[in-house]
Amino acid sequence: MGIDVDRLAEAAREELTSLWHDLHEARMHAYSSGWSMKCDSLVERIRSLTLLVGPTPWEQIQIPLLEDGVYQRVHAEMGVEAQPPDMQRVNELSALINGQAEALRP
């Protein structure tokens, strides 16, 4: 039984998307929603997989990571060219989500 390189790459891409989500969660739980050692560890894992399979499309990244420039910074530090996020679209989505959340408040 040989290694299915395409399936392996797809699994790595899925894990990479999950790591970005985990980074978002780790930032939310860090002191003052800042940064933590866990964030550093997750970024190292993101870098390792990104260098193997390429960047995760920005559309699959949590809005705060785009708004704060974390996604952009991580790729720039690696020297990996990722498609720049459409910040107008990101801002529209953020406003939509915040509006929906506000509408649900009693």
Side-chain angles (χ1 to χ4, degrees):
M1 179 169 128
I3 295 175
D4 185 334
V5 176
D6 291 335
R7 287 185 62 200
L8 184 59
E10 184 57 33
R13 281 187 205 91
E14 289 175 15
E15 178 63 14
L16 186 53
T17 300
S18 294
L19 287 170
W20 280 108
H21 179 268
D22 293 346
L23 177 59
H24 170 67
E25 293 285 322
R27 284 186 67 219
M28 289 189 341
H29 292 99
Y31 181 73
S32 296
S33 295
W35 203 260
S36 66
M37 290 175 59
K38 183 173 183 174
C39 295
D40 285 336
S41 174
L42 289 163
V43 166
E44 287 306 312
R45 293 170 60 199
I46 287 168
R47 287 179 177 150
S48 295
L49 285 178
T50 298
L51 293 172
L52 291 173
V53 297
T56 302
W58 69 265
E59 295 91 346
Q60 296 176 2
I61 304 299
Q62 290 68 35
I63 289 173
L65 295 175
L66 300 170
E67 290 176 325
D68 296 343
V70 173
Y71 173 82
Q72 299 88 319
R73 178 181 53 81
V74 167
H75 290 95
E77 288 173 354
M78 285 188 294
V80 171
E81 202 169 310
Q83 179 186 9
D86 177 346
M87 291 311 291
Q88 180 177 344
R89 182 71 182 132
V90 170
N91 292 334
E92 290 169 359
L93 289 171
S94 182
L96 176 66
I97 291 167
N98 290 335
Q100 289 174 344
E102 189 64 33
L104 293 174
R105 291 193 180 125

